[in-house]
Amino acid sequence: MKAKLLLIAAFGGLLATLGSCSDDAKNIDSDKEFEIRQVRLDVTNEMNASTARSSENPASAAASVQYAIVYADGSAAVNAAGKALATKINITKPTNAVIAAEGDVLTLSFTPGEVVLTDVTVTLPGGEIATLDEEGNIASWAAVNGPVTLSSENADLVWKAPAFNDGDMIKAEKVIAQNGNTYKYTGVVYLWHYHAIVLNADDTATASKAFSEDFNYTLNAVVEVPVTEGGQVVFDEEGSPVFAETNVLLANNGDASTLTYVPSCPGDSVELTFPDGTSATLTAEAPSMTWTAPVFTDGAEISAVLNIAEGANALTFTRSIIINHPAE
């Protein structure tokens, strides 16, 4: 009986100890700061349909950006009905990165969570914010003067991106004090430019030239070459203009082709992979090389990949040049 009473007493003491650990503030470490990345901030670039979401564990994922199509003279490419056309470009990017350019209009949206219920403070890298009318249309623009607040009642903000550096960020934050500690709930979205892969190919034997893409940064658009007959643009059955295949190089087996890379942003480089399995790297310091085509099948590709690291994730831009034999 005595042993049983001692066991009960010991068990009761253990419960008392556990109770004091969970309820007694004296036993909680205080005066500490913690960052918890659990603020939901969504960003949509209205100009190119790029989206991003703040995340505690962002990952690289397939995405796309959309750009207007223009002709070489800068005029907009339109279909037979006069509607402006755009092209969609597939990329791989971190889920918390948005592709943008100076002057792009972005919409920021805050979604309340279990802890951050009411509002967050958003810090923007300059730029302007829009004043909206009763119908939600932009009435005017004003320079950002310090952080802004998004709340459950006013969860959206329209913002015009200024000139920025790759990796600049939009940060949402809510500070909560509890049990002597400071908890900073945050959400971050990173801004990145579109990095065009301008790779030119020249086959002297066939006098053929090709390029991977022609992106116009001034117009923030993709330049396409229309097929014309008698000076008029050719339209297909759906009423869309027909574009020339500017990324197709005509080459013979054994031809030597010159490849030249023009970096669109400082520090960019591309990894090339050829149909014969060989590879090479082109940079601003070493932008050109000669490649000899082996025996190949029409439709073979020279793949160009541009990788940009962002922490554990990466932005990946991929374009290609198609190689065909000349028509007999």
Side-chain angles (χ1 to χ4, degrees), residues 43-52 61-69 85-94 97-101 104 192-197 213 215 217 220-222 315-319:
V43 178
T44 300
N45 188 337
E46 306 297 341
M47 310 299 286
N48 64 16
S50 175
T51 63
S64 65
V65 287
Q66 185 171 288
Y67 290 106
I69 300 173
L85 299 178
T87 184
K88 186 176 290 186
I89 303 173
N90 295 324
I91 64 173
T92 300
K93 72 170 187 64
V98 64
I99 305 299
D104 280 2
W192 286 86
H193 294 92
Y194 176 70
H195 288 244
I197 299 178
E213 71 175 314
F215 187 82
Y217 276 95
N220 204 23
V222 173
L315 288 162
T316 303
F317 301 88
T318 305
R319 307 298 278 174

Side-chain angles (χ1 to χ4, degrees), residues 218-306:
T218 302
L219 299 174
N220 204 23
V222 173
V223 180
E224 295 279 11
V225 178
V227 174
T228 58
E229 290 181 358
Q232 300 297 316
V233 174
V234 175
F235 290 88
D236 62 21
E237 294 178 353
E238 297 179 352
S240 296
V242 178
F243 299 114
E245 295 182 315
T246 53
N247 71 325
V248 176
L249 181 71
L250 301 180
N252 299 299
N253 297 338
D255 278 2
S257 298
T258 300
L259 299 167
T260 304
Y261 170 57
V262 183
S264 61
C265 298
D268 282 358
S269 63
V270 290
E271 301 291 330
L272 304 182
T273 302
F274 299 98
D276 58 4
T278 60
S279 61
T281 301
L282 295 181
T283 65
E285 294 74 27
S288 298
M289 64 168 292
T290 299
W291 175 72
T292 301
V295 176
F296 66 91
T297 303
D298 284 355
E301 290 188 44
I302 299 174
S303 173
V305 178
L306 192 162

Side-chain angles (χ1 to χ4, degrees), residues 15-312:
L15 290 177
T17 302
L18 291 174
S20 66
C21 287
S22 59
D23 298 330
D24 189 350
K26 293 182 295 183
N27 293 310
I28 298 176
D29 290 336
S30 60
D31 299 326
K32 289 187 177 180
E33 292 189 0
F34 303 91
E35 181 176 358
I36 304 170
R37 297 189 63 173
Q38 292 180 356
V39 168
R40 171 71 63 81
L41 181 68
D42 289 286
V43 178
T44 300
N45 188 337
E46 306 297 341
M47 310 299 286
N48 64 16
S50 175
T51 63
R53 171 174 289 177
S54 62
S55 173
E56 190 172 8
N57 298 296
S60 291
S64 65
V65 287
Q66 185 171 288
Y67 290 106
I69 300 173
V70 299
Y71 297 138
D73 63 1
S75 60
V78 298
N79 62 17
K83 181 180 178 180
L85 299 178
T87 184
K88 186 176 290 186
I89 303 173
N90 295 324
I91 64 173
T92 300
K93 72 170 187 64
T95 50
N96 65 346
V98 64
I99 305 299
E102 180 181 357
D104 280 2
V105 176
L106 284 71
T107 298
L108 284 62
S109 300
F110 160 60
T111 301
E114 293 183 6
V115 178
V116 184
L117 293 170
T118 56
D119 60 84
V120 289
T121 298
V122 180
T123 303
L124 300 165
E128 299 176 306
I129 56 176
T131 299
L132 305 180
D133 59 24
E134 293 181 355
E135 297 179 352
N137 300 315
I138 296 174
S140 62
W141 291 96
V144 177
N145 184 21
V148 296
T149 300
L150 290 179
S151 66
S152 53
E153 289 78 21
N154 297 290
D156 295 337
L157 173 71
V158 179
W159 175 68
K160 185 184 294 182
F164 65 88
N165 297 315
D166 281 340
D168 282 355
M169 63 184 179
I170 301 168
K171 185 174 184 179
E173 182 179 85
K174 177 69 174 182
V175 178
I176 298 176
Q178 187 177 23
N179 295 329
N181 296 317
T182 300
Y183 299 90
K184 292 184 178 180
Y185 289 84
T186 64
V188 177
V189 168
Y190 294 92
L191 295 164
W192 286 86
H193 294 92
Y194 176 70
H195 288 244
I197 299 178
V198 182
L199 179 68
N200 301 307
D202 187 351
D203 188 302
T204 304
T206 61
S208 176
K209 298 180 183 296
F211 54 89
S212 58
E213 71 175 314
D214 191 354
F215 187 82
N216 188 309
Y217 276 95
T218 302
L219 299 174
N220 204 23
V222 173
V223 180
E224 295 279 11
V225 178
V227 174
T228 58
E229 290 181 358
Q232 300 297 316
V233 174
V234 175
F235 290 88
D236 62 21
E237 294 178 353
E238 297 179 352
S240 296
V242 178
F243 299 114
E245 295 182 315
T246 53
N247 71 325
V248 176
L249 181 71
L250 301 180
N252 299 299
N253 297 338
D255 278 2
S257 298
T258 300
L259 299 167
T260 304
Y261 170 57
V262 183
S264 61
C265 298
D268 282 358
S269 63
V270 290
E271 301 291 330
L272 304 182
T273 302
F274 299 98
D276 58 4
T278 60
S279 61
T281 301
L282 295 181
T283 65
E285 294 74 27
S288 298
M289 64 168 292
T290 299
W291 175 72
T292 301
V295 176
F296 66 91
T297 303
D298 284 355
E301 290 188 44
I302 299 174
S303 173
V305 178
L306 192 162
N307 282 310
I308 304 173
E310 185 197 331

